[in-house]
Amino acid sequence: MIEQYGEDYFRKTWSAWIDGVTEIIEEKKGDVCMAECRQIHKPTLILHGDHDPMVPQEHPVYLQNNIRGSRLIRFPDGKHNIHLRYADVFNRHVEDFLLKEE
């Protein structure tokens, strides 16, 4: 991650992320969004890299199974930076989704 984002930015971002997750774990007993995702009733696009070291594969599957009408697009060789590494494909999927939902 340091190679991708630079050491200073990554350290600050990682520290803030850890603080946020710790707060959620303590306040919501680990439930980041499981209770809320069934309340989403709008079209939802989920994009995920299958080799993401930060977001396990079961997370996007759970979201797809619990957000009615959601659409999951997987990037088989993608990691956490699919928006950068596969920018053209990523942006095309987002644009297609947004134009379809207008």
Side-chain angles (χ1 to χ4, degrees):
M1 299 303 259
I2 290 173
E3 279 182 36
Q4 182 68 38
Y5 297 106
E7 187 167 349
D8 289 339
Y9 176 78
F10 177 69
R11 287 189 188 281
K12 289 176 188 173
T13 303
W14 185 254
S15 179
W17 187 83
I18 294 296
D19 291 346
V21 169
T22 300
E23 185 177 325
I24 290 169
I25 288 170
E26 290 172 356
E27 288 182 14
K28 293 189 169 192
K29 298 181 175 55
D31 183 353
V32 177
C33 67
M34 292 170 68
E36 288 85 359
C37 68
R38 288 195 176 118
Q39 297 173 19
I40 299 172
H41 300 286
K42 297 291 181 184
T44 303
L45 179 62
I46 305 160
L47 300 123
H48 185 257
D50 284 348
H51 298 284
D52 189 327
M54 297 178 71
V55 181
Q57 288 192 25
E58 60 265 18
H59 289 206
V61 171
Y62 181 89
L63 293 174
Q64 182 182 31
N65 289 336
N66 289 279
I67 299 173
R68 191 176 346 159
S70 63
R71 181 174 175 214
L72 172 60
I73 297 176
R74 304 186 85 102
F75 288 74
D77 296 323
K79 295 183 181 178
H80 194 68
N81 64 342
I82 57 175
H83 62 294
L84 299 172
R85 185 166 182 209
Y86 304 101
D88 291 341
V89 175
F90 182 97
N91 289 334
R92 187 175 69 243
H93 284 303
V94 171
E95 184 177 351
D96 290 348
F97 175 79
L98 293 173
L99 290 174
K100 178 184 170 204
E101 299 306 323
E102 288 185 319

